[in-house]
Amino acid sequence: MNAKAPAHRNIVVLGSTGSIGTQTLDVVRQHPDRLSIVGLAVNSSLEKLQQQALEFNVPNLAMGAPSNEAATAGIPCGQEAVLELCRLPEVDLVVNALVGAAGLRASYEVLRAGKVLALANKESLVVGGDLLIPMSTHETLLPIDSEHGAIYQCLLGEDPAEVRRLWVTASGGPFRGKTRADLAQVTVEQALAHPTWRMGSKITIDSATLMNKGLEVIEAHHLFAMPYEKIEVVVQPQSAIHSMVEFSDGSVKAHLGTTDMRIPIQFALSYPERWEAPVEPLDFRLLGSLEFAAPDTDTFRCLALARAAGSRGGTLPAAMNAANEVAVATFLAGNCPFLSIADAVEAAMDACDVEPVESLEQLEEVDARARAVAAKYLNR
Ligand code: MG
């Protein structure tokens, strides 16, 4: 990569106390000469937010959830306060690590304000890719997802017309190899025990159902303008290969590395440069074997449902995603069986009148309707 990154970047981190947020701050700690944090937003973790603000000397803070305590401390609350951070004139780049469809409006505002969007909130693209992609370029939308960061790097210097297939890798999650009968009784604790990646609870459950891979297929479709028939999922249990691109001459480029999210996070912040990173190097002599398998979409129905939603397009992925968010929250609260997550998603997809995507407001209505359908299904 020849081009230079700006000498210094002012960044905002949305969702700064979550898994991606705290690892982003780790990257900033390593590169104080290149990165400054000018804004931090959280949903509700006030105390941690104040600690971060103190350590990084951050002038602008916001909290999504209403809070008297935060207001007393002079921290603006509510969605508008979070969006305001994205529009600050001194901001160059915003890391969107919010959870769920709630991140869409922030992604929209970041791109509309002409800032670089480093996107960990994949739901933004799943729900609103049809709106966001026309507002973005290769340089202004950088994925913070290990698979998409990998594909992005494999495609550098390549002609997209010469791509035969994208291979999105999946660890298979904690229930790889299990049958539907096995999954009927699994607990929240078992579902949260991811074999290779340490992440927040929503995405960890999505990894256990393979919905995360379904969301990533849709994310890849939007990010790389790739038709669904050219996007394959392959289980790679060691998570050493973060994804691959196959070209028209049969060549395949793979991106490998240690399973440490700070690598894709830093790439999104350093692009088009690469910086030193204090991560454990991958030692191929200790790696052992690499395994590959087809995903079991009969057992893990969410992957097939998400692919169907993406292929149909329009507002269907928004409905699918909203139902999944409700079902995952219900499962995490101990109020529905694991297998009901896919059933609730399917019920909401069946009830959705699919329309072309037109606006954020329309997507919010679709989202609300699908949440109601899923909640009704799960409480039946
Ligand atoms: Mg991923």
Side-chain angles (χ1 to χ4, degrees):
M1 284 173 279
N2 301 319
K4 283 268 172 239
H8 196 93
R9 275 183 167 148
N10 289 329
I11 73 170
V12 165
V13 183
L14 308 180
S16 62
T17 56
S19 175
I20 293 292
T22 53
Q23 293 181 84
T24 300
L25 267 48
D26 259 352
V27 171
V28 176
R29 269 187 204 99
Q30 298 297 326
H31 301 285
D33 50 329
R34 290 160 154 154
L35 299 167
S36 296
I37 301 179
V38 296
L40 291 172
V42 298
N43 181 43
S44 60
S45 306
L46 178 60
E47 204 174 315
K48 283 189 198 155
L49 173 68
Q50 289 173 311
Q51 286 165 4
Q52 292 177 339
L54 203 61
E55 180 187 346
F56 291 93
N57 194 21
V58 183
N60 305 287
L61 305 176
M63 192 154 108
S67 150
N68 289 334
E69 221 185 323
T72 307
I75 297 171
C77 296
Q79 191 191 40
E80 195 47 44
V82 175
L83 299 179
E84 202 51 51
L85 295 184
C86 306
R87 305 187 196 108
L88 292 169
E90 64 269 35
V91 172
D92 301 307
L93 179 149
V94 177
V95 174
N96 183 353
L98 298 173
V99 178
L104 171 59
R105 195 167 277 272
S107 292
Y108 186 88
E109 289 297 328
V110 171
L111 292 171
R112 198 166 69 155
K115 322 288 192 189
V116 175
L117 174 61
L119 187 61
N121 176 259
K122 66 190 81 182
E123 293 90 343
S124 286
L125 282 176
V126 170
V127 174
D130 290 341
L131 295 179
L132 297 180
I133 293 300
M135 302 167 73
S136 71
T137 68
H138 189 256
E139 276 70 41
T140 61
L141 176 50
L142 284 143
I144 296 185
D145 200 340
S146 63
E147 296 79 359
H148 305 78
I151 292 169
Y152 190 99
Q153 293 178 54
C154 289
L155 287 173
L156 288 172
E158 301 288 354
D159 180 349
E162 294 168 356
V163 174
R164 187 184 285 163
R165 277 186 291 192
L166 305 181
W167 288 93
V168 179
T169 52
S171 71
F175 302 140
R176 182 172 59 91
K178 297 267 190 274
T179 64
R180 280 184 68 76
D182 296 333
L183 295 182
Q185 303 297 334
V186 294
T187 64
V188 171
E189 194 184 12
Q190 289 169 321
L192 284 174
H194 195 274
T196 51
W197 293 101
R198 198 174 44 79
M199 307 173 291
S201 59
K202 197 270 177 177
I203 186 174
T204 305
I205 300 303
D206 283 346
S207 299
T209 61
L210 292 200
M211 175 56 90
N212 183 52
K213 216 44 60 178
L215 300 178
E216 289 182 353
V217 167
I218 300 174
E219 187 185 7
H221 160 77
H222 286 296
L223 276 174
F224 307 113
M226 207 52 68
Y228 284 94
E229 57 272 21
K230 289 188 170 187
I231 306 174
E232 302 283 357
V233 171
V234 61
V235 175
Q236 205 291 289
Q238 291 79 22
S239 298
I241 298 182
H242 298 153
S243 278
M244 299 175 277
V245 178
E246 177 185 332
F247 296 93
S248 50
D249 64 354
S251 298
V252 179
K253 281 166 86 171
H255 178 283
L256 289 84
T258 306
T259 51
D260 186 326
M261 277 309 293
R262 291 174 299 178
I263 301 175
I265 291 169
Q266 178 171 301
F267 182 80
L269 301 180
S270 72
Y271 177 81
E273 298 178 353
R274 290 187 191 276
W275 301 338
E276 287 292 314
V279 297
E280 193 71 31
L282 189 60
D283 187 336
F284 289 94
R285 295 161 300 189
L286 303 175
L287 190 58
S289 60
L290 289 176
E291 299 166 80
F292 301 92
D296 175 0
T297 51
D298 293 328
T299 303
F300 299 95
R301 296 176 59 231
C302 284
L303 174 54
L305 288 168
R307 187 183 270 279
S311 302
R312 177 75 171 81
T315 51
L316 191 55
M320 179 275 298
N321 176 73
N324 181 59
E325 288 186 25
V326 169
V328 169
T330 307
F331 173 72
L332 279 169
N335 293 332
C336 79
F338 184 77
L339 289 174
S340 293
I341 296 174
D343 298 341
V345 167
E346 188 170 41
M349 284 172 63
D350 287 346
C352 177
D353 293 319
V354 184
E355 297 165 355
V357 172
E358 284 161 8
S359 67
L360 287 178
E361 292 69 28
Q362 171 212 28
L363 288 170
E364 282 164 3
E365 280 167 26
V366 169
D367 178 280
R369 272 200 300 275
R371 279 172 202 271
V373 172
K376 194 170 164 203
Y377 180 88
L378 292 165
N379 293 320
R380 74 196 188 283

